[in-house]
Amino acid sequence: MSEETALLIGRVSDLLGDSGGDVERTLTDGYAGALALEAERVRLERRLTELTTALADDQDSERLDELVALRQRISRTDEELSQLRAVLARVRKRLTAAGIAVAGSLT
């Protein structure tokens, strides 16, 4: 997991406690982080498709190495996105139960 995503998940998770903080800003950052991870995943998938097509044309080992690395990055991105969405959903549920309106949802 990237350090940036880990810190963001930590900030959002802190909202589950009674640490106060800027709830609106933290949730906005959390949802923006989720959108950035989704965009990164789309970019990686697009490159994976390009590479797969090129690899079908010739057996370049350098492309094969990049293909493996891309697959690993996509898996890591999926895991980060899943963890961030899960903590955002928990915070949203807690705030909703407390009667605090929460706009937007990426779950």
Side-chain angles (χ1 to χ4, degrees), residues 42-106:
V42 167
R43 187 190 67 73
L44 292 170
E45 284 287 347
R46 205 172 285 139
R47 179 62 184 145
L48 183 70
T49 300
E50 291 170 2
L51 213 53
T52 302
T53 301
L55 193 59
D57 295 335
D58 75 326
Q59 296 294 322
D60 184 354
S61 65
E62 191 173 301
R63 288 184 177 166
L64 186 56
D65 292 343
E66 185 181 354
L67 188 67
V68 170
L70 276 171
R71 192 67 240 157
Q72 292 170 341
R73 286 178 59 195
I74 289 169
S75 293
R76 282 194 305 270
T77 301
D78 283 344
E79 180 60 30
E80 289 179 26
L81 184 56
S82 176
Q83 289 180 16
L84 182 53
R85 281 182 173 163
V87 73
L88 284 166
R90 287 195 317 268
V91 169
R92 182 179 177 82
K93 183 177 180 180
R94 181 170 182 259
L95 292 175
T96 300
I100 301 170
V102 181
S105 176
L106 290 178

Side-chain angles (χ1 to χ4, degrees), residues 8 11-12 22-34 88:
L8 183 55
R11 283 181 47 215
V12 174
D22 188 348
V23 172
E24 190 172 314
R25 173 68 181 192
T26 302
L27 286 177
T28 299
D29 289 349
Y31 286 118
L88 284 166

